[in-house]
Amino acid sequence: MKTFTSGWAFQKPDQNYFKKFIRLNNIAIDGIVYPKKILADIEGIPVLGFDDAHDIIQPDDLVLDVSTNPDLRKELEPFFAAKDIDCVSVPDYLDRLLSADQHDALLLPVAGIKASDIRKLKSAPIPDRFDAHFLDAESYEVASKLDGIFRHSQWQRLVEFDRDDPTGNVLFNVLLDLHARGLLKHLSA
């Protein structure tokens, strides 16, 4: 069985954790399928147009659905349907691998997290805003987002945390600056 992707631009930052996972675990991607061959390869992975892919991809091969472009997806879906190939989403693929990894052999792209940790999380209750673990709403929001990301293998959402200056920090710094200038005398820092 070979592994292919249904479209994919490696430059998209929302897939950085998945790309790192592939590299850490030496998972081979045998080709990236597009309607037309636009390049010979992307980061060493062959790009296949429909003509080439038709002859290479077999029904028992794995095709990961990584295309986020709706127009491209409209072209790719009928091609794979005609070959009777179901495309698997990246979260579903990750779930399969993590469920099968009973000895924590997979290297995950986030330090300190193992497959067994994610399996335990899936059977744990979803965090509740009013349990004793959270002292403020922002802590709950962060924990809730992280829980959903790892519980559902939606690693592409980790990019939500990749901000140098979150909105809350910007607002706090503006208010702090206004207070320092004496414009908000009633505000205490």
Side-chain angles (χ1 to χ4, degrees):
M1 176 174 87
K2 293 182 178 178
T3 303
F4 298 90
T5 67
S6 173
W8 194 2
F10 273 82
Q11 308 87 309
K12 292 192 60 75
D14 63 341
Q15 292 295 333
N16 284 346
Y17 290 94
F18 180 59
K19 291 185 291 187
K20 185 175 180 181
F21 174 77
I22 287 171
R23 287 192 180 110
L24 286 171
N25 294 287
N26 296 316
I27 296 172
I29 303 293
D30 297 290
I32 302 169
V33 179
Y34 283 99
K36 295 179 184 157
K37 185 173 183 164
I38 51 176
L39 303 164
D41 66 78
I42 297 176
E43 292 192 23
I45 300 172
V47 174
L48 307 170
F50 284 165
D51 294 337
D52 295 330
H54 189 275
D55 298 331
I56 295 173
I57 299 176
Q58 302 302 313
D60 63 334
D61 288 333
L62 173 65
V63 177
L64 298 174
D65 180 10
V66 294
S67 175
T68 56
N69 179 320
D71 295 329
L72 178 59
R73 188 171 258 166
K74 284 180 189 175
E75 292 184 69
L76 291 165
E77 286 174 350
F79 171 77
F80 290 109
K83 290 194 61 75
D84 201 28
I85 294 175
D86 290 326
C87 294
V88 177
S89 72
V90 171
D92 287 345
Y93 175 65
L94 291 170
D95 276 345
R96 286 184 197 175
L97 292 177
L98 296 171
S99 293
D101 182 20
Q102 296 300 309
H103 302 289
D104 289 330
L106 290 172
L107 300 173
L108 301 188
V110 178
I113 297 178
K114 302 175 295 211
S116 59
D117 297 327
I118 294 174
R119 286 193 306 276
K120 287 177 197 169
L121 177 67
K122 289 177 181 284
S123 63
I126 294 173
D128 185 287
R129 180 180 304 269
F130 300 108
D131 69 20
H133 298 289
F134 306 109
L135 297 177
D136 56 60
E138 190 170 342
S139 297
Y140 165 76
E141 293 297 327
V142 170
S144 182
K145 281 182 185 180
L146 287 171
D147 178 85
I149 287 168
F150 287 105
R151 184 181 297 266
H152 303 293
S153 297
Q154 296 175 335
W155 297 357
Q156 74 279 7
R157 289 183 47 214
L158 282 167
V159 77
E160 294 173 21
F161 294 97
D162 191 15
R163 289 185 246 145
D164 292 332
D165 217 354
T167 308
N169 287 352
V170 171
L171 180 59
F172 178 75
N173 288 330
V174 167
L175 291 173
L176 201 58
D177 182 54
L178 290 172
H179 177 68
R181 293 171 191 251
L183 300 174
L184 299 175
K185 295 184 192 272
H186 65 282
L187 182 68
S188 64

